[in-house]
Amino acid sequence: MQLHQSFKTLLATVVLGFGLAACGGGGSQGSSEQPASGSNAANASAASAAASDDALAKIKERGVIRIGVFGDKPPFGYVDANGKSQGFDVEIAKYLANDLLGSPDKVEFVLTEAANRVEYVRSGKVDLILANFTQTPERAEVVDFASPYMNVALGVVSPKGAPITDLSQLEGKTLLVNKGTTADAYFTKNQPNINLLKFDQNTETFDALKDGRGVALAHDNALLWAWAKENPNFEVAIGNIGPAEHIAPAVRKGDQSLLNWVNQEIAAMKQDGRMHAAYEKTLRPVYGDKEAEILTK
């Protein structure tokens, strides 16, 4: 009787093992998952590996959050005369550090250029990018965007004595852009008859405009309005090009815990007035009453 019962138990175990194998494994994977193939498999594996790391817990353990910001793009991110990071994105970063780690000083500002933003996130050099980062489908394939906090479109700034009021005036001429920006991507794709001169840093690009190395400069319109206010010999004669877009924080692909937390924080800042306070402190001197136009709701 005992031998017969043992045989039945063994048989049931074997059958169960074959059943699990046919379903692709047991445990939490279940039978509904389908194997990926080719590059999709690699992407899924990479995202899964990243997601397995609790990014939020690691930041808490480290005691500091590393946030990428610009160092030369006032009023959004810049370094002041005392070597301190300032600007709208910097204010948001301080709110995040305070809520997560108990102090606005527990943030390490990592200065980035436009072309480096994606790589800094993907390599883990920063936990989060707040460097006036426009949300695009192409970028969303390699980083995870949180909820947007600003509206933006492209614009063109040019000398008041020789204003560019229509894109047709740029054909065969030199337009200045920053590498890796939406302006770079837009004009490369849609305006092949315009010669692009590209720079890494904002200061280089705007200096080139002042030096006459290009007839105009294309960038986010909000930045151009701010720059033209400080440089009255230039004007943003074309204020909106292409579709309206959004500025949003970005984290490494698969860092779900951090992404969820940042989404909650952005929503809270909009709700409790901190986003408005950041606007009042850093952007109102430049944009005045354009808050409703610039900030997302």
Side-chain angles (χ1 to χ4, degrees):
M1 183 70 178
Q2 289 180 347
L3 181 61
H4 178 67
Q5 185 64 36
S6 297
F7 177 76
K8 288 172 64 179
T9 301
L10 177 62
L11 180 61
T13 302
V14 172
V15 171
L16 178 60
F18 276 115
L20 288 174
C23 291
S28 61
Q29 291 184 356
S31 61
S32 61
E33 291 190 4
Q34 298 296 323
S37 60
S39 60
N40 289 338
N43 292 338
S45 176
S48 177
S52 67
D53 296 331
D54 191 336
L56 201 59
K58 287 186 174 182
I59 294 169
K60 291 179 181 179
E61 182 180 355
R62 188 194 312 135
V64 64
I65 183 168
R66 302 166 305 180
I67 298 181
V69 296
F70 281 126
D72 62 347
K73 194 173 181 179
F76 303 102
Y78 64 98
V79 177
D80 67 14
N82 297 316
K84 300 290 186 180
S85 287
Q86 305 288 354
F88 182 67
D89 289 338
V90 172
E91 292 300 308
I92 296 174
K94 289 179 179 178
Y95 290 145
L96 293 174
N98 187 67
D99 287 356
L100 183 62
L101 301 170
S103 170
D105 298 324
K106 290 188 175 181
V107 53
E108 176 187 341
F109 292 112
V110 180
L111 301 185
T112 183
E113 298 164 3
N116 295 337
R117 290 173 295 185
V118 168
E119 183 55 36
Y120 277 18
V121 174
R122 296 181 70 181
S123 67
K125 185 169 184 175
V126 300
D127 304 302
L128 174 73
I129 278 286
L130 276 175
N132 214 236
F133 204 26
T134 305
Q135 192 172 10
T136 68
E138 294 77 16
R139 289 170 177 170
E141 292 180 0
V142 290
V143 300
D144 282 339
F145 281 101
S147 299
Y149 58 93
M150 277 189 63
N151 301 308
V152 71
L154 294 178
V156 174
V157 65
S158 52
K160 279 187 174 179
I164 299 296
T165 59
D166 190 275
L167 294 185
S168 61
Q169 296 173 258
L170 291 170
E171 292 187 7
K173 298 179 181 177
T174 299
L175 176 67
L176 307 169
V177 298
N178 277 66
K179 295 177 184 177
T181 60
T182 49
D184 181 3
Y186 177 85
F187 282 96
T188 298
K189 179 180 179 181
N190 298 297
Q191 301 289 339
N193 294 326
I194 298 175
N195 302 320
L196 299 183
L197 181 56
K198 305 178 184 182
F199 296 89
D200 289 317
Q201 298 181 353
N202 283 305
T203 48
E204 294 176 317
T205 316
F206 284 101
D207 284 346
L209 180 62
K210 291 179 179 180
D211 295 342
R213 282 176 276 168
V215 298
L217 184 153
H219 217 308
D220 294 348
N221 56 7
L223 171 66
L224 297 185
W225 291 330
W227 186 84
K229 186 173 182 178
E230 298 296 321
N231 295 269
N233 292 328
F234 296 86
E235 64 177 319
V236 185
I238 303 178
N240 286 278
I241 302 171
E245 295 178 313
H246 303 295
I247 301 294
V251 303
R252 188 176 59 155
K253 202 76 175 172
D255 280 350
Q256 196 62 45
S257 62
L258 180 58
L259 180 67
N260 292 343
W261 179 78
V262 173
N263 280 332
Q264 294 170 5
E265 286 291 301
I266 295 297
M269 289 180 203
K270 294 176 181 178
Q271 182 69 28
D272 63 24
R274 283 179 293 167
M275 195 70 72
H276 169 76
Y279 181 93
E280 289 289 318
K281 181 177 180 179
T282 62
L283 301 186
R284 175 170 283 280
V286 177
Y287 301 115
D289 294 330
K290 286 187 177 183
E291 178 179 358
E293 182 181 342
I294 291 175
L295 299 185
T296 62
K297 296 181 179 179

